[in-house]
């Protein structure tokens, strides 16, 4: 019997946190998970328009000045992102992690380049050594804290799911954190909101390098952003976080989609 025949009738997907492990899910149970996760009404909203109609409406919601400047970073022919679930072993497979696959969607190039810009602004403004302690420092601090706690005090260790943090942050808080980060960057670099930054996107030693002004040679390896456009672009991407599941369209109304290239940079800005 072939593997395809043996797996017929099952939902097959990677295991949560273990992409090289195959997870098999009962179709009925998987459908219940889909219904529970995407119909929660807090993070996701079901839309009435089908994916193809929604896809054509998204650009109408983009401010005309941004569309004129960044239209080459949007591929009109590509579809909406699609979503799927990774059932969680830690919840007895009765809960699941929603993933929205943006890599082949129409906004993927814009999201990827904007993510590079935000990530580099964060790294310049808040150097790692000033924000993130070393593992040794964390362990030393943990040991110091534990040794100072009275022996008769009962401790409760709480695990925080950082991945779940992606869907927990309201959009206004994300935009506020991004505004603060860019403001700090401008203050440090002596820039104005009208200043341009150039981002290198080539796979060389200059990967993700950031510098002010415009790249002198016109090439696809660099992209320019005006600082004043970063927040409106992010606001537009967050407000148009539409995706499809089959022929049903949804929109993420809270947090940044796990699977979006921009989500890690935005959540890092909020965390910092």
């Amino acid at each position: 019997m072939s593997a395809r025949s043996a797996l017929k009738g099952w939902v097959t997907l990677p295991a949560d946190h273990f992409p090289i492990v195959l997870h098999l899910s009962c179709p009925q149970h998987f459908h219940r998970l889909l219904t529970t996760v995407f119909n929660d009404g807090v993070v996701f909203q079901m839309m009435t328009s089908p994916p193809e109609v929604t896809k054509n409406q998204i650009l109408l919601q983009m401010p005309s000045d941004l569309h004129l400047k960044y239209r080459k970073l949007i591929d009109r022919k590509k579809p909406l992102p699609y979503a799927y679930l990774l059932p969680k072993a830690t919840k007895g497979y009765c809960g699941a992690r929603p993933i929205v696959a943006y890599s082949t969607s129409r906004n993927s190039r814009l999201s990827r380049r904007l993510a590079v810009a935000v990530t580099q602004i964060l790294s310049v403004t808040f150097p790692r050594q000033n924000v993130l302690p070393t593992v040794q420092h964390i362990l030393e601090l943990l040991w110091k804290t534990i040794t100072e706690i009275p022996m008769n005090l009962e401790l409760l260790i709480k695990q925080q799911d950082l991945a779940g943090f992606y869907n927990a942050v309201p959009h206004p808080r994300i935009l506020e954190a991004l505004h603060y980060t860019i403001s700090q960057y401008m203050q440090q670099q002596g820039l104005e909101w009208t200043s341009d930054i150039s981002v290198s996107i080539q796979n060389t030693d200059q990967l993700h390098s950031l510098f002010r002004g415009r790249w002198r040679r016109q090439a696809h390896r660099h992209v320019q952003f005006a600082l004043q456009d970063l927040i409106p672009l992010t606001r537009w991407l967050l407000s148009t976080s539409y995706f499809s599941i089959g022929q049903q369209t949804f929109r993420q109304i809270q947090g940044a989609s796990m699977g979006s290239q921009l989500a890690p940079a935005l959540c890092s800005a909020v965390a910092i």
Side-chain angles (χ1 to χ4, degrees), residues 127-189:
R128 181 181 179 87
Q129 61 269 21
N130 296 341
V131 178
L132 299 177
T134 63
V135 174
Q136 179 179 352
H137 178 74
I138 294 175
L139 294 176
E140 290 175 350
L141 182 61
L142 178 62
W143 176 255
K144 182 176 182 297
T145 302
I146 292 177
T147 55
E148 292 176 354
I149 296 177
M151 295 293 294
N152 59 346
L153 186 64
E154 184 176 354
L155 299 180
L156 175 64
I157 299 179
K158 182 178 180 181
Q159 178 186 2
Q160 182 178 5
D161 186 0
L162 294 179
F165 178 68
Y166 282 54
N167 294 333
V169 185
H171 290 172
R173 185 180 172 191
I174 293 176
L175 296 172
E176 181 182 354
L178 182 58
H179 185 279
Y180 174 78
T181 299
I182 298 174
S183 299
Q184 291 296 307
Y185 172 75
M186 292 192 308
Q187 183 177 350
Q188 291 180 14
Q189 302 297 319

Side-chain angles (χ1 to χ4, degrees), residues 42-270:
V42 176
V43 179
F44 304 106
Q45 177 185 32
M46 183 183 294
M47 311 304 295
T48 56
S49 300
E52 193 64 27
V53 174
T54 303
K55 182 188 74 172
N56 296 328
Q57 294 174 342
I58 289 179
L59 283 181
L60 299 178
Q61 303 177 36
M62 189 178 199
S64 57
D65 59 326
L66 296 181
H67 180 262
L68 183 63
K69 294 165 68 174
Y70 302 104
R71 62 184 183 277
K72 292 184 179 180
L73 296 180
I74 300 174
D75 193 334
R76 295 171 177 264
K77 297 181 180 180
K78 290 187 177 180
L80 289 180
Y82 64 90
Y84 58 95
L85 296 176
L86 297 179
K88 295 183 178 182
T90 55
K91 293 189 176 182
Y93 301 106
C94 293
R97 189 183 313 282
I99 307 293
V100 183
Y102 276 84
S103 59
T104 59
S105 67
R106 56 170 27 197
N107 293 336
S108 61
R109 282 196 297 171
L110 175 59
S111 297
R112 185 163 56 249
R113 285 152 177 76
L114 189 58
V116 172
V118 174
T119 300
Q120 291 305 302
I121 289 175
L122 282 167
S123 65
V124 171
T125 309
F126 307 106
R128 181 181 179 87
Q129 61 269 21
N130 296 341
V131 178
L132 299 177
T134 63
V135 174
Q136 179 179 352
H137 178 74
I138 294 175
L139 294 176
E140 290 175 350
L141 182 61
L142 178 62
W143 176 255
K144 182 176 182 297
T145 302
I146 292 177
T147 55
E148 292 176 354
I149 296 177
M151 295 293 294
N152 59 346
L153 186 64
E154 184 176 354
L155 299 180
L156 175 64
I157 299 179
K158 182 178 180 181
Q159 178 186 2
Q160 182 178 5
D161 186 0
L162 294 179
F165 178 68
Y166 282 54
N167 294 333
V169 185
H171 290 172
R173 185 180 172 191
I174 293 176
L175 296 172
E176 181 182 354
L178 182 58
H179 185 279
Y180 174 78
T181 299
I182 298 174
S183 299
Q184 291 296 307
Y185 172 75
M186 292 192 308
Q187 183 177 350
Q188 291 180 14
Q189 302 297 319
L191 301 176
E192 302 291 337
W193 282 103
T194 55
S195 301
D196 290 329
I197 57 172
S198 295
V199 180
S200 171
I201 55 175
Q202 61 181 338
N203 295 320
T204 66
D205 292 339
Q206 290 185 338
L207 179 66
H208 296 178
S209 64
L210 176 75
F211 50 91
R212 69 180 71 179
R214 293 182 176 272
W215 184 248
R216 293 183 179 179
R217 290 182 300 174
Q218 294 296 323
H220 295 292
R221 294 175 298 178
H222 292 82
V223 62
Q224 284 80 36
F225 287 104
L227 287 175
Q228 63 185 2
D229 293 339
L230 297 181
I231 294 176
L233 284 171
T234 302
R235 181 185 295 111
W236 177 72
L237 288 171
L238 289 175
S239 64
T240 58
S241 296
Y242 297 98
F243 59 91
S244 64
I245 301 178
Q247 293 303 310
Q248 182 63 56
T249 307
F250 292 85
R251 181 168 73 99
Q252 182 157 347
I253 56 179
Q254 176 174 281
S257 303
M258 187 176 303
S260 165
Q261 301 93 332
L262 186 56
L266 296 180
C267 290
S268 295
V270 173

